[in-house]
Amino acid sequence: MAADLTGKRALVTGGSSGLGEDITRELAASGAKVGFNYHSEKNKAESIAEDLKKNGADVITMQADVSDRTLAAEMVSDIIEKWGGIDILVNNAGIDGRYALSWEADLDEWERVIKINLFGQFYCAREALKYMIPKKSGVILNITSVHETIPWTGYSSYTVAKAGLSMLTKTIAQEAGPFGIRVLSLAPGAIKTPINKNVWGNPDTLKDLLEKIPFGRMGESSEVARTVAFLVSDAASYITGSTIFVDGAMVDYADFSHGG
Ligand code: NAD
């Protein structure tokens, strides 16, 4: 059954591609008004918006680099001004960066990954909370990763950002819980999107990846999007402060299926 988000006002960051696009489509199909953010894919964002509007959805596109504290805050306040408020924030925008062992990492690149994956989520959440706290209502969902818990060689900035984002979720859930605001994380495993095309586009790396997933296949972005729609809906009214894994049991140490 689809979630019911009738009358809710949502903002999805990084909505012009992959998970963000499907989350935007699912929230709109569930009845929410959706502002979806894009960074550089203006044409793609506009064509998604046009497509959704044709089907009667109330959507707008919002350009911003979420790692810029001023632009991120302006984006959130713009949507609040336009729609008179915000009920749902999905912090989805993210990059995994370039492979580099920690002692070889380029510092600008290392910091950029943290700024997009962690600072950006904080800037948007902070601005949304300024509205949600006095209203005593709202939901913030942060897209983390199985790498909030699984280390990943060559991607220390990504794992640090996602682990930090998971703790940000828990801390804000503690702070905002008394105001009736839910804050949670959704940690995808390996979901087929542009971010990991280099892996699923090559039979050898795909085979290696599938061995890490007890469920034996990659996830589809629609499977994440449906879970997001449920989690931000009132049907999930007592879920807050934790991470929901959508990962085909990837965090369950697949190697142990052959004995320990
Ligand atoms: P994607 O590359 O298709 O989407 C990432 C989106 O983030 C894009 O729309 C991109 O434009 C946007 N973005 C990047 N930098 C930005 C910035 N500075 N400001 C605003 N937007 C920016 O990849 P995806 O798989 O859809 O990733 C979405 C989220 O899911 C990311 O946070 C990613 O870390 C997380 N994730 C994905 C997987 C997976 O297997 N696909 C697994 C775990 C976590």
Side-chain angles (χ1 to χ4, degrees), residues 14 17-19 64-66 92 94 143-144 158 162 188-189 191 193-196:
S17 140
L19 299 183
D65 175 348
V66 296
N92 163 76
I143 301 289
T144 59
Y158 184 74
K162 294 298 189 179
I191 316 293
T193 72
I195 209 172
N196 44 26

Side-chain angles (χ1 to χ4, degrees), residues 5-216:
L5 299 175
T6 309
K8 304 283 189 190
R9 298 154 297 187
L11 172 63
V12 180
T13 67
S16 59
S17 140
L19 299 183
E21 176 180 347
D22 272 21
I23 292 167
T24 296
R25 289 182 181 279
E26 187 70 29
L27 300 193
S30 303
K33 291 180 177 195
V34 189
F36 71 100
N37 153 260
Y38 67 93
H39 181 220
S40 46
E41 300 176 311
K42 187 170 195 285
N43 292 344
K44 177 94 190 294
E46 281 174 358
S47 96
I48 295 168
E50 216 171 285
D51 186 36
L52 286 169
K53 282 181 191 161
K54 260 192 254 155
N55 294 315
D58 195 348
V59 294
I60 50 170
T61 59
M62 317 196 73
Q63 195 284 328
D65 175 348
V66 296
S67 67
D68 180 310
R69 59 167 83 164
T70 307
L71 299 179
E74 275 174 10
M75 172 174 68
V76 179
S77 60
D78 281 355
I79 203 162
I80 291 170
E81 198 179 310
K82 179 167 175 50
W83 282 339
I86 182 169
D87 305 296
I88 297 164
L89 168 65
V90 181
N91 270 323
N92 163 76
I95 58 167
D96 51 13
R98 286 196 295 271
Y99 174 94
L101 297 171
S102 295
W103 54 93
E104 293 167 347
D106 175 82
L107 291 182
D108 287 337
E109 175 65 7
W110 201 88
E111 288 178 11
R112 190 172 78 92
V113 173
I114 304 249
K115 280 184 182 152
I116 294 172
N117 290 294
L118 179 58
F119 285 29
Q121 327 304 325
F122 178 70
Y123 298 147
C124 293
R126 179 176 182 272
E127 205 59 29
L129 285 163
K130 287 185 196 167
Y131 170 84
M132 291 174 175
I133 293 286
K135 294 284 175 199
K136 294 192 157 60
S137 165
V139 186
I140 297 176
L141 185 142
N142 296 316
I143 301 289
T144 59
S145 163
V146 286
H147 295 296
E148 71 162 63
T149 180
I150 303 176
W152 188 16
T153 289
Y155 293 92
S156 60
S157 50
Y158 184 74
T159 57
V160 164
K162 294 298 189 179
L165 185 55
S166 167
M167 191 48 84
L168 184 68
T169 292
K170 290 174 185 154
T171 303
I172 301 180
Q174 207 177 65
E175 292 173 349
F179 298 90
I181 291 151
R182 294 190 299 118
V183 189
L184 56 162
S185 298
L186 183 152
I191 316 293
K192 206 169 181 182
T193 72
I195 209 172
N196 44 26
K197 190 165 187 228
N198 60 328
V199 178
W200 55 260
N202 173 321
D204 293 335
T205 48
L206 177 61
K207 181 173 175 291
D208 176 66
L209 173 66
L210 294 182
E211 282 166 8
K212 295 181 169 74
I213 309 171
F215 211 55

